[in-house]
Amino acid sequence: MADDARLKRDVLYELDHDARVGAAHLHVTVSDGVAVVSGSLPNLTAKQAALAAARRVPALRRAFDGIAIDPALGSPTDAEIAERVRAILMLDAAVPAGVLDVAVAEGRVTLSGAVDWGYQREAARSAAARIGGVTHVVDRIEVSGPPSVADLRGRILAALEQLVEAEAAAIDIEIEAGVVRLRGALDGAACRKAAEQAARAAPGVVRVENLLNAA
């Protein structure tokens, strides 16, 4: 039988790395291969997830429930949110390990760093948004691989969101060997220039052909 100290470490590891749990308010004791998980969690879902995580330890004989439900714990601190976001990013196979930084202020999560592909950025943003207590996700992740239409459209929309978002959404974007062609209509030379600059700033863009016409 595995020794109790190692089993306790294994249970704590499973709890700490399950983003559904938030193990800051949990305690674990192990005796003769039997664990007792005690402490408090904000809801029944988190409690069930904690017990399931403990029972994933193969050599553990049993895991008993000593967890109380305390709804007041449902509002995590910024530090707790940051730890949970980092944990879920580590667990997501679509997000490269160790390349993103996480900062949290008043529930607003800022993700920064660089990934190779747009889908990796989307996966990171989606994962962070699933964490309880997150009010907004600020995406400052750079994509170093070839540009995508979705990435370029998002950059153009961000540049023009105060002006003509509906028109920007209708811009036709073509990408070929790093060359971006913008077609469609925008009202005003300033808007057309802003769209071009947003596309030009995207990683992997070699040249922008601005074929936008005045509306």
Side-chain angles (χ1 to χ4, degrees):
M1 180 184 299
D3 65 89
D4 290 342
R6 182 162 66 83
L7 285 174
K8 180 178 178 178
R9 288 195 300 270
D10 290 346
V11 171
L12 288 171
Y13 178 88
E14 292 292 338
L15 293 173
D16 287 339
H17 288 77
D18 192 320
R20 301 168 299 171
V21 176
H25 300 279
L26 293 181
H27 310 281
V28 176
T29 59
V30 179
S31 178
D32 295 327
V34 176
V36 176
V37 183
S38 59
S40 302
L41 287 172
N43 53 57
L44 180 60
T45 299
K47 176 176 177 176
Q48 292 172 335
L51 294 173
R55 289 163 183 162
R56 285 197 294 267
V57 176
L60 197 68
R61 291 170 55 200
R62 293 194 68 182
F64 285 103
D65 172 18
I67 302 171
I69 294 178
D70 182 0
L73 297 175
S75 299
T77 65
D78 286 341
E80 290 170 336
I81 292 173
E83 286 302 314
R84 295 175 192 178
V85 171
R86 293 187 187 102
I88 200 170
L89 293 179
M90 289 294 293
L91 292 170
D92 195 320
V95 181
V99 301
L100 298 180
D101 294 322
V102 178
V104 183
E106 298 182 352
R108 291 172 61 90
V109 175
T110 299
L111 302 176
S112 57
V115 295
D116 292 330
W117 301 99
Y119 79 87
Q120 295 170 328
R121 183 177 67 179
E122 291 299 324
R125 185 165 51 193
S126 175
R130 293 197 297 270
I131 298 299
V134 173
T135 59
H136 187 71
V137 178
V138 179
D139 178 5
R140 294 181 179 168
I141 302 171
E142 293 292 336
V143 178
S144 57
S148 68
V149 169
D151 177 46
L152 292 174
R153 192 177 304 283
R155 288 172 178 272
I156 292 171
L157 284 171
L160 302 178
E161 64 180 353
Q162 300 297 326
L163 302 173
V164 285
E165 182 172 346
E167 294 175 20
I171 292 174
D172 183 33
I173 302 172
E174 301 174 4
I175 303 173
E176 183 178 357
V179 177
V180 176
R181 297 180 183 88
L182 304 178
R183 303 178 190 274
L186 280 178
D187 186 11
C191 291
R192 296 195 295 276
K193 187 63 175 178
E196 177 183 336
Q197 290 174 339
R200 194 182 303 279
V205 172
V206 177
R207 188 173 77 253
V208 176
E209 296 182 3
N210 189 346
L211 305 176
L212 295 167
N213 296 317

